[in-house]
């Protein structure tokens, strides 16, 4: 009985393959650029596979140091978001308590855990938004009676439209709500 009244959907967050991929390549590339720029300044070869002591420090060496530092900064930021698992959590639909709970992990501080709670009586429908083009999005929304649309799907690679529609239809059926296109 309890299983049919509560549904919980896990959200992955920042621990995705793309974040591991980009943090690795930004770190390696940034380290290479930084060492190349420092090699041009100190006139000591810090890279084993090429001789960068011949670079003129101003402007090439300065630019290499700048881009290397920037790339290392981005990679460290991505690594920290992966370690802290930012964006992970779950969506809980509880018919017993008549509540929808959306729980996510944020950055450390007073908002480390983000909890949004909505009574089922305030939920109007489940919405699907599909946009194609250069930056395609395919998302499921919780449509509230006060015209707010709360995203339920995580930021990720676009899933197949059939999978998204099936997931939204299952959720709408579970909550006895209508399904609408946004």
């Amino acid at each position: 009985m309890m299983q049919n009244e509560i549904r919980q959907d896990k959200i992955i967050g920042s621990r995705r393959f793309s974040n591991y991929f980009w943090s690795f390549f930004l770190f390696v590339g940034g380290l290479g650029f930084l060492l190349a720029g420092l090699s041009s300044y100190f006139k000591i070869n810090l890279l084993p596979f090429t001789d960068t002591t011949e670079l003129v420090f101003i402007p090439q060496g300065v630019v290499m140091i700048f881009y290397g530092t920037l790339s290392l900064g981005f990679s460290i930021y991505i690594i920290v978001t992966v370690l802290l698992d930012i964006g992970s959590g779950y969506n809980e639909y509880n018919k017993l308590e008549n509540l929808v709970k959306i729980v996510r992990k944020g950055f450390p501080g007073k908002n480390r855990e983000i909890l949004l709670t909505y009574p089922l009586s305030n939920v109007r429908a489940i919405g699907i938004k599909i946009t194609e083009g250069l930056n395609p999005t395919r998302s499921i929304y919780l449509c509230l009676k006060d015209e707010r649309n709360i995203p339920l799907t995580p930021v990720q690679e676009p899933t197949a439209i059939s999978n998204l529609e099936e997931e939204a239809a299952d959720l709408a059926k579970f909550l006895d709500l209508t399904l609408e296109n946004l």
Side-chain angles (χ1 to χ4, degrees), residues 31-47 49-67:
L31 192 62
F33 269 61
L34 185 64
L35 290 176
L38 291 174
S39 293
S40 72
Y41 179 74
F42 292 118
K43 299 294 182 204
I44 299 169
N45 191 17
L46 298 173
L47 290 172
F49 50 86
T50 185
D51 184 20
T52 53
T53 58
E54 301 301 315
L55 285 175
V56 180
F57 180 67
I58 296 179
Q60 287 97 346
V62 172
V63 170
M64 296 288 273
I65 288 175
F66 173 74
Y67 284 129

Side-chain angles (χ1 to χ4, degrees), residues 91 93 100 102 122-131 137-145 147-154 159 161 163-173 175-182:
N91 301 333
Y93 313 98
V100 175
I102 300 171
N122 285 357
V123 179
R124 183 184 42 139
I126 299 296
I128 298 179
K129 184 175 183 180
I130 299 171
T131 56
T137 58
R138 297 174 182 158
S139 301
I140 299 173
Y141 289 86
L142 191 68
C143 303
L144 303 178
K145 289 182 179 173
E147 299 301 317
R148 288 185 294 166
N149 295 331
I150 312 299
L152 297 176
T153 50
T159 57
I161 294 174
N163 292 348
L164 186 78
E165 289 174 342
E166 184 179 330
E167 189 179 327
D170 287 346
L171 181 58
K173 185 178 178 183
L175 296 175
D176 296 324
L177 295 171
T178 59
L179 190 59
E180 62 182 47
N181 192 17
L182 300 178

